[in-house]
Amino acid sequence: SRIAGPSAVFTQTYDDKNEIIAFDGKLNVCSELNPKLIPLRPAEPAAILLTTAPPAQQVQTLEWLQAQEYHGLIAIDTNFAYVTEFEGLLQRNGSRIGVLFVNEAEFQALAQHSLPCKRTIVKRGGQGATLLENGVRLHVPAPVAKQVRTTTGAGDVLAGAFLAACLNGKSSIEALACSI
């Protein structure tokens, strides 16, 4: 199913270490997305990534997935602009989330509270990523890039590659190593 209108637009400004220093997001037609647009079939999809969206929209999707008795892997991502609301989402729904993807600043803001998710991946940009699972903390360094044009979308690529590797039987650390 499609909805007509302009797609979401995210504008980010980075410092010399490729860290975000300014963010502006306009959801446009994406603000009207609802979980009923997800084509669930028995055993498909095996994983769903709830990408950056307002936490209320993500909660609506989590509740819909529970009502559909969805048993696949649920992963979720956020943006620092949503951290305050996202904190409540995690406290109420964290046990349903199989993988939480956050960047360093989001992790620091959320880590003041217990993160109830089974696995947390902390995206550290050029420094790689850290996996927190079952009380174990493992870091995977990023390869050195000769030139960076933009890091926009890099976290989504990491999340997609991680989930694909997990679905192909890799352990969490193997999946993270494949996705960096």
Side-chain angles (χ1 to χ4, degrees), residues 76 90 94-95 97-100 115-120 132:
I76 195 164
L90 289 177
S95 63
I97 298 168
V99 185
L100 168 65
L115 295 176
C117 303
K118 296 173 180 90
R119 286 175 276 191
T120 299
L132 300 136

Coordinates of all heavy atoms in Angstrom, one line a residue, residues 76 90 94-95 97-100 115-120 132:
I76 N 14.7 -1.9 17.0 CA 14.2 -0.5 17.1 C 15.4 0.5 17.1 O 16.4 0.2 17.7 CB 13.2 -0.3 18.3 CG1 12.4 1.0 18.2 CG2 14.0 -0.4 19.6 CD1 11.2 1.0 19.1
L90 N 10.8 2.4 26.1 CA 11.6 1.3 26.5 C 11.2 0.7 27.8 O 11.2 -0.5 28.0 CB 13.1 1.7 26.6 CG 13.8 2.0 25.3 CD1 15.2 2.5 25.6 CD2 13.8 0.8 24.4
G94 N 10.2 -2.6 26.4 CA 11.6 -3.1 26.2 C 11.7 -4.6 26.1 O 12.5 -5.2 25.3
S95 N 10.9 -5.4 26.8 CA 11.0 -6.8 26.8 C 10.5 -7.4 25.5 O 10.9 -8.5 25.1 CB 10.1 -7.4 27.9 OG 8.7 -7.1 27.7
I97 N 11.4 -6.0 22.6 CA 12.4 -5.5 21.6 C 13.6 -6.4 21.7 O 14.2 -6.6 22.8 CB 12.8 -4.1 21.9 CG1 11.5 -3.2 21.7 CG2 13.9 -3.6 21.0 CD1 11.7 -1.8 22.2
G98 N 14.0 -7.1 20.6 CA 15.1 -8.0 20.5 C 16.4 -7.2 20.4 O 17.5 -7.7 20.9
V99 N 16.4 -6.1 19.7 CA 17.7 -5.4 19.4 C 17.3 -3.9 19.5 O 16.4 -3.4 18.8 CB 18.3 -5.7 18.1 CG1 19.7 -5.0 17.9 CG2 18.5 -7.2 17.9
L100 N 18.1 -3.2 20.3 CA 18.0 -1.7 20.3 C 19.2 -1.1 19.7 O 20.4 -1.5 20.1 CB 17.9 -1.3 21.8 CG 18.1 0.2 22.1 CD1 17.0 1.0 21.5 CD2 18.2 0.5 23.6
L115 N 18.3 -0.6 30.7 CA 17.8 -0.8 29.3 C 17.3 -2.3 29.2 O 18.1 -3.2 29.3 CB 18.9 -0.6 28.3 CG 19.5 0.8 28.2 CD1 20.6 0.9 27.2 CD2 18.4 1.8 27.8
P116 N 16.0 -2.4 29.1 CA 15.4 -3.8 29.2 C 15.4 -4.6 28.0 O 14.9 -5.7 27.9 CB 13.9 -3.4 29.6 CG 13.7 -2.1 29.0 CD 15.0 -1.4 29.0
C117 N 16.1 -4.1 27.0 CA 16.2 -4.9 25.7 C 17.2 -6.0 25.8 O 18.1 -6.0 26.5 CB 16.6 -4.0 24.6 SG 15.4 -2.6 24.4
K118 N 16.9 -7.1 25.0 CA 17.8 -8.3 25.0 C 19.2 -7.9 24.5 O 20.2 -8.4 25.1 CB 17.2 -9.4 24.2 CG 15.8 -9.9 24.7 CD 15.2 -10.8 23.7 CE 13.9 -11.3 24.2 NZ 12.7 -10.5 23.9
R119 N 19.3 -7.1 23.5 CA 20.6 -6.7 22.9 C 20.6 -5.3 22.6 O 19.6 -4.7 22.1 CB 20.9 -7.5 21.6 CG 21.2 -8.9 21.8 CD 21.4 -9.5 20.4 NE 20.0 -9.9 20.0 CZ 19.8 -10.7 19.0 NH1 20.7 -11.2 18.2 NH2 18.5 -11.0 18.6
T120 N 21.7 -4.6 22.9 CA 21.8 -3.2 22.5 C 23.1 -3.0 21.7 O 24.1 -3.6 22.1 CB 21.9 -2.3 23.8 OG1 20.7 -2.4 24.6 CG2 22.1 -0.8 23.4
L132 N 26.0 -4.9 23.6 CA 25.8 -5.2 25.0 C 24.7 -6.3 25.0 O 23.6 -6.1 24.5 CB 25.2 -4.0 25.8 CG 26.2 -2.8 25.7 CD1 25.5 -1.6 25.4 CD2 26.9 -2.8 27.1

